[in-house]
Amino acid sequence: MMDVVSPELNSLLPDEIMDTEAIAMEEELPTEHLSAPPQSEPEPPQVPMETEVPEIVSLCPATTSMQMSSASTDAQCSTSSGTQLLLAPSGLITVTTMTTTTSTKTTGPAVTQNLPKISSVTVPANHQLIINKVAGAPAADGKSPGAAVLKPEGQKLLVAGLSKTGQPIMLALPHTWNKPATTQCTGDAKAQPTQIKMLTSVGKPVIAVSSASQLMGSSTTLQAQQLKTLQITKKPPVSTAGPMITKLIITKALNNKGLSSTASVAPVVTGRVVTQSTPLTPPRTITIGETVSTVPQHTSGNSKVAISPLKSPSKLTVVSVASQSPNSPQKSVTLPLNVALGQQILTVQQSAATSPAKAGTSQPTAQTVKPVQTVGGVGTSQFKTIIPLATPHNVQQIQVPGSRFHYVRLVTATTGSTTPQSGGSTNTNPSIQQAKPVMMNAAVRMSVPIVPAQSIKQVVPKPLTSAAQVVTTSQTPQRLIMPATHLPQIQPNLTSLPPGTVLTPAHGSGNMGYAVLPAPYVTQIAQPTFVTLTSSSTFSTATPIQTQARLSLNGLSTSEATSRPRKPCNCTRSQCLKLYCDCFANGEFCNNCNCVNCFNNLDHESERLKAIKSCLDRNPVAFKPKIGKGKQGESDRRHSKGCNCKKSGCLKNYCECYEAKIMCSSICKCMGCKNFEESPERKTLMHLADAAEVRVQQQTAAKTKLSSQISDLLTRTTPAVTSGGGKLPYTFVTKEVAEATCDCLLEQAEQAELNNQPQAVAERLILEEFGRCLRRIVSFAGKAKTDCPISC
DNA sequence: GAGTTTGAAACT
DNA sequence: CAGTTTCAAACTC
């Protein structure tokens, strides 16, 4: 088994991603969620980031048979195709891909002691969902009494679970399940079934929890639990015209301190997700979409959706991390999962913290994966896209709000990489398991109860090809992390990593490396050219990308970058590997620059990597935007460090504040600053600048209009000239005509001189002659006779 | 376009 | 952390 994400690499991930514990803590504590994760509990050295991944979702392919484990600690779903589905009780939903048909059972001890659990979830390709929910405290042997068992009954899928009180919960699947999985039932799944409806993505119910109280188990015992909903959308084969989408909604009640039992059931809004809300703790929804292609291998054992990098060859790690204010009532995470052709795209979406009901769910279509970009209010969120190229089979997109990069991670399931340990290290280690509930909280924390799909900004879907699909966001620059050659290990904060950064996998973990590419690459890769890129297992494919890439987003949106591309740098001594270089500082490769001895390109990954590391060593936030939001409550932007101007008065572009068109703030250490609101100099300058800008705009408009007119005139006149139908008068003023006219005028001048006539008379004669010449020219033009010499 | 000025980054 | 040097952009002529 190969670790997709090595421990080292995990350490490289941004704090927003990695710090799931902290995120979880937000659920528990009103502290900043991005705070450093607790280190009290040691982790195994080989435990990668998965242990801190907030969400691990396991999805079973269509042909999978379910073998549900009743273990309270981890829910598992082993399929005949080798796909293993794990749903950690702590909130981790693990999708692991197995190359063998061996069903994996949870070997680790109970993870949580007090949290309700979803023991297992199964999402066959035929729109089926199996959920085992174990709310009761796990038994010592890892199995809770009355473990949830899933049994298909004909066309029905039973999702069973036990409440905290041991009351079984059963979820019924729709009759559309024509492929009942061979599910092993270890408990009484039929006892007191919870009503769960199946909802389809097209608005048809796939799975809906009709009763929050039921799902939460006995209200008496789960009163303080917070209901959380997880939705998994499964996409039918691409070739299938019908938008049949199966969605998995996992509603989990989590312990919530001191909450009253007045949990109320909130109807699903979009018809895609069922939402339950409690007065004190808003429901949270996680949506996971899966796109299933018609490719045979898709349904084969090798086609798997993996969302967890836990020591699984093919993993998708859902890392969500954006900061959110504690008072944010609702958050939603949308996780579209694209499994077409063995490729998977995972998108984590987070709504704005302050937005009460801003959530989105992916709208996967038959052909494309529509990673949800931003939910309303996430305008400032930034993303990272990690695209591993070494493994073209899987694509994982991770949108990380709070980071200005956009990662897409491509993960490939490799043979021999089975999922030996159910739940991986996350579940086997009790100490780690403590953090899992937190992870779930983190994921859930971001979820918002179902929101209308309209509120979601989605990227225009691209045709689903065999290549990885990359979705770009409209507002945020994106970065790619693509595999590269092995390079010295670095462990910078990914949030600060500029594009082009190469992240190497753990030793012996495989040949996967990651290079952060400029955001435009994502767009480029999304194009057909990306097929070549992803289809190749070598990093050399990245080279053409660079040549094709349109660089220079420079922190601007795509439209902005297009309209105002970054200036090329002129570095001569820094090799473009210092922050002196704007390209490098902005996390971009040099492209069409005037730099000398440039190392800021893919050809010098190693050097660039070292340079990035060096910069990050000096300043961990070296690659983060300097212009950020001001203090809380302030709407104006402000420089993160402030300027240090001495002579410019902060009214020249030397000043970074002025250059960014922001006022100097109290953190600036400038001298003689005139860049403040009431500064008359600044106002004058601004007025001048505005006036100049207006003039420029007017001139530009005039030029444009004139150009248009000329173009139009030429367009209209050209056919007349070429058609021989006649020439316009001006066309007769040829060189020969002009010369002839001049000769006529000179002749008049000579005549007047010979006659000793005064100058005034001479001029009059010349002008009269000129008039005659003009009349002749016009006359000739009127006759439309070409090439007719004008005789004086 | 060459030279100067400027301030951030890098260095000590 | 402060002072100095390096560097490339901004600016001037």
Side-chain angles (χ1 to χ4, degrees), chain A residues 82 84 265 278 297 304 337 354 473 522 589:
Chain A
Q84 182 180 15
V265 176
T278 59
Q297 73 183 71
K304 307 163 184 89
L337 213 60
T354 58
T473 61
V522 178
F589 291 126

Side-chain angles (χ1 to χ4, degrees), chain A residues 746-757 765:
Chain A
L746 289 175
E747 180 65 21
Q748 285 296 327
E750 291 176 355
Q751 291 293 333
E753 186 177 7
L754 292 175
N755 296 332
N756 293 324
Q757 291 177 339
L765 293 174

Side-chain angles (χ1 to χ4, degrees), chain A residues 341-409:
Chain A
L341 296 177
Q343 297 177 357
Q344 300 147 1
I345 295 174
L346 178 61
T347 301
V348 177
Q349 179 179 2
Q350 176 175 355
S351 64
T354 58
S355 179
K358 291 179 179 179
T361 58
S362 65
Q363 298 288 341
T365 61
Q367 292 180 348
T368 62
V369 173
K370 293 180 179 179
V372 178
Q373 295 179 351
T374 56
V375 184
V378 192
T380 58
S381 65
Q382 293 165 336
F383 306 93
K384 289 191 174 183
T385 300
I386 300 174
I387 296 180
L389 298 179
T391 60
H393 297 292
N394 295 326
V395 176
Q396 175 180 355
Q397 180 177 4
I398 300 173
Q399 293 180 349
V400 181
S403 172
R404 82 185 174 106
F405 297 131
H406 192 158
Y407 293 104
V408 172
R409 176 173 301 160

Side-chain angles (χ1 to χ4, degrees), chain A residues 16 23 26 33-34 320-324 350 400-402 445-446:
Chain A
E16 297 83 358
I23 295 171
E26 181 179 355
H33 69 284
L34 290 178
S320 98
V321 204
S323 62
Q324 179 173 0
Q350 176 175 355
V400 181
R445 177 182 57 80
M446 297 185 297

